[in-house]
Amino acid sequence: MALPKAAPRILCIGIPVRDLTFRVEAVPARGSKANATHLAEICGGNALNAAIAIARLGGRAAFTGPMGDAREMSSGFILDRMTAEGIETSHIVRMPDVSTPVSAIIIDATGERTLTIYRDPALWTVKLPDDDTLLDDCRAVLVESRCAEFAISLCTEARRRGIPVIVGVDRAMSLQDGLLTAASHLLFASEQVQETAGIADDGEALRRLAQLTPAFLAATRGPRGTIWLNETGELEEIPAFPVEAVDTLGAGDVFHGAFALRLAEGAEVREALRFAAAAAALKCTRHGGGQAAPQRVEVEELLHN
């Protein structure tokens, strides 16, 4: 179904990944073997998972970033699925003789995931299309924290134009990372905010980072909910929605996408965080990584129960 013109267009910047997911009762010990109970081949990557969530929740998701050689199978597999989700792919940059990333993911009976991934170092040499093309009719930018090397100038220009830049942080950042100051919103996971700040407490880590960036700061903590610093520097909290998790793969990415969409729709931060928490919770109740992102009607129903 075609989205209405009024649906906000959100530009997602990242590096798509072809995921092979294996379900097991328990992660095998080092040097041992285990039989998987299920195998699935899906597309992934932080920004791509977020883009899927945005599209399913009613936004217009556009994507830019590097992808491998047009002759290799992984990129074709991913593009087919992006097209099926209604994601705009015309600004993806194909890189000759470069491999699209591939990951192997093990998901245990609790829904927790363990993964290994290969990313070709040449992907970081990508040159994105020009700013005017990418930012045309753009209401928000969502970027993977690892993409600063090729995305920082675009994010800086987006902020100059008054477009919010949301950074989904799933690894520790350098305190000199340009995205710390180019971003309007930084969404960390608990482990990464502590690593980035060098402080073993989520709240204190956020306060430390607030001294280095004017951006909105939040930390997601899975079933313990999300904490953030309000405009007066006080900690606030949004509880997680209690669900029986079977697969946490992509939950943080779905959270980021849902948050960016509600922000682009004009919602206040608290409402956007609650909407994102509901979307991420629903994703955790089903297998499939980011491709298990919920539809808008499901999120609205959970929010009003």
Side-chain angles (χ1 to χ4, degrees), residues 194-215:
Q194 293 184 26
E195 277 191 66
T196 299
I199 298 173
D201 177 85
D202 293 336
E204 292 307 312
L206 290 177
R207 289 191 173 100
R208 166 76 175 100
L209 295 179
Q211 299 172 18
L212 306 176
T213 175

Side-chain angles (χ1 to χ4, degrees), residues 23-36:
R23 281 189 240 159
V24 297
E25 289 301 314
V27 176
R30 183 174 181 268
S32 67
K33 297 180 180 179
N35 289 323

